[in-house]
């Protein structure tokens, strides 16, 4: 009964015109993704074939670890471009066949005509956000491991003289850290109360427990603890000690693109944790978090621009509309990249950097919509 009611509701809400445009829109969007990503795979494989051969990468890893995660990542990354191309392409074709003229001659306003476009954009935006925030980061972990092993072997695996605040009043220091073995050397942990040192731990080696069920589990080897109580000092030594220190290997070594391996909830937790420590090196994580939301909203803006540009029937066909559309979509991606770079290197607020392209192109979308046929 509920299924029947839902079906009747959708039948009343989505007319034949809505379903027709939505099928055209989403179908063209998927087709454009499949076409462009297929070409990208061919070029990428041709470029990296020598590296795959030299490193003896197995075919199973190339297909399932690399390209199976390559496709969704770049599809989602360039989704605004695919949305724009899809809207320009099929709307120009509708206009060229005089279908839009027939729709508007029957009394359908351009505003009403935009409803199936916006519904389709909402479906694409929701799918893009879910994929980018929860699914693709897990695939990026596998893809980056493959690239490190078989493609690019310049991943940062060590750090020297690392110092960070792991909790309020608690400072950790490592003279040397190796991320491959998850082991640090020349370790010290200082605890302060009212700006006075109350505890000082030193250890020759500190080892992160990768098989522990709990996070932040470290084992200190050959340690000495000095506990200061006024003028008294208590010294404790030992061979090994299991302890909880509020830091993880990812806090000690940063690799390019590391923020893309975290889901949105993980990004929020990491940003909050680093800000509590007083760390300023979280801009790229903040940009990534806000960019995932802003890019999803870009589907609506670029859909309005694309439909407004290509809905008018032109004697020359879709050439001019497609050219303008591609120029606008590429300029959007360029502006997004520039604003992110300014946020990371010039101190621009991350949320502003992520939303500047949308704000500028929202104005362009409004102007195009006002100039569209009525």
């Amino acid at each position: 009964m509920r299924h029947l009611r839902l079906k009747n509701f959708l039948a009343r809400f989505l007319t034949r015109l809505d379903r027709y445009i939505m099928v055209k829109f989403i179908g063209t969007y998927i087709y454009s993704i499949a076409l462009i990503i297929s070409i990208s795979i061919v070029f990428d494989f041709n470029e990296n074939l020598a590296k795959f051969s030299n490193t003896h990468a197995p075919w199973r890893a190339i297909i399932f670890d690399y390209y199976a995660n390559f496709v969704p990542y770049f599809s989602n990354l360039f989704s605004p471009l695919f949305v724009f191309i899809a809207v320009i392409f099929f709307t120009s074709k509708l206009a060229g066949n005089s279908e839009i003229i027939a729709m508007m001659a029957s009394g359908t306003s351009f505003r009403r005509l935009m409803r199936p476009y916006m519904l389709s954009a909402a479906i694409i935006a929701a799918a893009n956000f879910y994929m980018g925030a929860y699914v693709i980061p897990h695939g990026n972990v596998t893809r980056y491991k493959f690239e490190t092993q078989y493609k690019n072997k310049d991943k940062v695996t060590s750090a020297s003289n690392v110092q960070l605040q792991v909790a309020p009043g608690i400072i950790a220091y490592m003279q040397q850290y190796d991320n491959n073995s998850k082991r640090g050397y020349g370790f010290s942990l200082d605890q302060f109360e009212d700006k006075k040192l109350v505890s000082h731990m030193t250890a020759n080696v500190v080892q992160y427990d990768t098989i522990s069920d709990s996070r932040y589990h470290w084992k200190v080897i050959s340690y000495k603890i000095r506990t200061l109580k006024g003028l008294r000092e208590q010294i404790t030594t030992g061979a090994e000690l299991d302890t909880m220190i509020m830091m993880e290997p990812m806090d000690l070594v940063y690799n390019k693109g590391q923020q893309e391996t975290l889901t949105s909830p993980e990004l929020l937790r990491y940003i909050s944790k680093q800000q509590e420590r007083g760390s300023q090196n979280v801009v790229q994580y903040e940009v990534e978090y806000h960019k995932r939301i802003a890019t999803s909203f870009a589907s609506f803006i670029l859909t309005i621009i694309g439909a407004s540009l290509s809905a008018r029937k032109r004697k020359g066909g879709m050439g001019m509309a497609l050219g303008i559309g591609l120029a606008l979509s590429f300029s959007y991606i360029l502006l997004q990249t520039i604003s992110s770079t300014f946020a990371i290197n010039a101190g621009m607020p991350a949320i502003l950097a992520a939303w500047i392209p949308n704000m500028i192109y929202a104005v362009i979308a409004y102007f195009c919509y006002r100039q569209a046929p009525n």
Side-chain angles (χ1 to χ4, degrees):
M1 192 67 179
R2 287 182 179 178
H3 178 72
L4 183 61
R5 288 178 181 175
L6 179 62
K7 188 175 181 180
N8 292 334
F9 172 77
L10 291 176
R12 289 195 303 269
F13 184 73
L14 296 177
T15 63
R16 182 176 295 180
L17 174 64
D18 295 327
R19 294 193 296 271
Y20 177 72
I21 291 178
M22 289 177 70
V23 169
K24 288 279 188 181
F25 188 167
I26 297 176
T28 308
Y29 171 77
I30 294 173
Y31 175 78
S32 63
I33 286 179
L35 181 63
I36 297 176
I37 292 299
S38 298
I39 297 172
S40 301
I41 290 174
V42 172
F43 279 100
D44 184 83
F45 182 76
N46 183 62
E47 182 181 349
N48 294 300
L49 181 58
K51 292 182 180 179
F52 294 157
S53 300
N54 293 335
T55 56
H56 306 288
W59 282 104
R60 181 180 179 83
I62 294 173
I63 296 172
F64 294 103
D65 292 347
Y66 183 63
Y67 284 112
N69 296 302
F70 174 96
V71 171
Y73 172 76
F74 283 98
S75 298
N76 203 67
L77 180 65
F78 295 109
S79 180
L81 174 62
F82 297 139
V83 168
F84 218 34
I85 291 175
V87 172
I88 291 285
F89 185 80
F90 91 87
T91 306
S92 296
K93 193 171 183 181
L94 292 180
N97 294 335
S98 301
E99 293 181 65
I100 291 182
I101 294 176
M103 294 173 191
M104 302 187 73
S106 66
T108 303
S109 65
F110 188 74
R111 181 178 179 181
R112 170 63 182 83
L113 188 64
M114 288 299 298
R115 188 170 80 176
Y117 281 90
M118 300 311 289
L119 288 173
S120 301
I123 294 172
I124 293 172
N128 286 339
F129 176 75
Y130 179 76
M131 292 291 292
Y134 297 98
V135 178
I136 292 176
H138 296 299
N140 284 340
V141 174
T142 305
R143 184 168 62 87
Y144 285 153
K145 285 182 179 178
F146 175 91
E147 290 180 348
T148 302
Q149 186 174 0
Y150 299 111
K151 187 179 173 184
N152 303 318
K153 296 197 173 185
D154 55 352
K155 183 178 180 180
V156 178
T157 59
S158 63
S160 301
N161 299 320
V162 180
Q163 183 174 353
L164 71 158
Q165 179 175 284
V166 296
I170 302 177
I171 308 297
Y173 171 80
M174 286 188 199
Q175 187 175 3
Q176 190 72 29
Y177 175 74
D178 180 21
N179 197 46
N180 291 328
S181 61
K182 302 294 187 290
R183 176 172 291 195
Y185 304 90
F187 175 75
S188 68
L189 187 70
D190 296 329
Q191 182 176 354
F192 295 86
E193 291 182 3
D194 297 328
K195 298 183 181 180
K196 293 182 179 179
L197 181 67
V198 296
S199 177
H200 176 69
M201 172 195 284
T202 58
N204 291 339
V205 178
V206 59
Q207 176 71 54
Y208 185 70
D209 192 346
T210 57
I211 61 174
S212 174
D213 294 333
S214 60
R215 298 167 64 191
Y216 313 121
H217 190 191
W218 293 83
K219 178 183 291 185
V220 291
I221 302 171
S222 186
Y223 68 92
K224 180 168 72 172
I225 303 174
R226 295 172 56 203
T227 305
L228 307 174
K229 296 181 180 179
L231 298 177
R232 296 183 179 181
E233 179 179 357
Q234 180 181 352
I235 298 178
T236 305
T237 60
E240 287 188 3
L241 176 67
D242 289 332
T243 183
M244 300 291 290
I245 304 174
M246 301 296 288
M247 64 180 182
E248 297 177 276
M250 67 177 299
D251 300 330
L252 306 173
V253 175
Y254 173 77
N255 284 283
K256 184 178 179 181
Q258 184 171 292
Q259 67 274 12
E260 295 178 346
T261 63
L262 301 177
T263 64
S264 289
E266 290 172 342
L267 273 174
L268 273 180
R269 287 195 295 268
Y270 182 82
I271 291 168
S272 177
K273 182 177 69 174
Q274 293 298 95
Q275 288 175 339
E276 288 176 358
R277 293 173 172 174
S279 174
Q280 301 298 319
N281 192 29
V282 294
V283 179
Q284 58 266 35
Y285 295 90
E286 292 177 320
V287 169
E288 177 67 21
Y289 177 78
H290 293 295
K291 189 170 72 173
R292 291 175 183 179
I293 304 173
T295 303
S296 300
F297 275 92
S299 298
F300 297 100
I301 298 172
L302 297 178
T303 295
I304 295 172
I305 297 175
S308 301
L309 286 175
S310 55
R312 188 185 301 274
K313 185 174 182 179
R314 292 178 173 83
K315 184 178 294 185
M318 71 175 72
M320 179 178 290
L322 185 60
I324 296 174
L326 288 174
L328 284 173
S329 59
F330 279 117
S331 63
Y332 172 85
I333 295 172
L334 178 62
L335 181 60
Q336 191 179 57
T337 304
I338 292 173
S339 61
S340 299
T341 303
F342 266 98
I344 296 172
N345 298 321
M348 179 187 293
I351 188 170
L352 183 63
W355 284 94
I356 275 180
N358 282 2
M359 290 188 287
I360 293 175
Y361 279 78
V363 175
I364 298 175
Y366 177 76
F367 175 78
C368 293
Y369 178 77
R370 297 288 296 176
Q371 298 298 317
N374 294 300

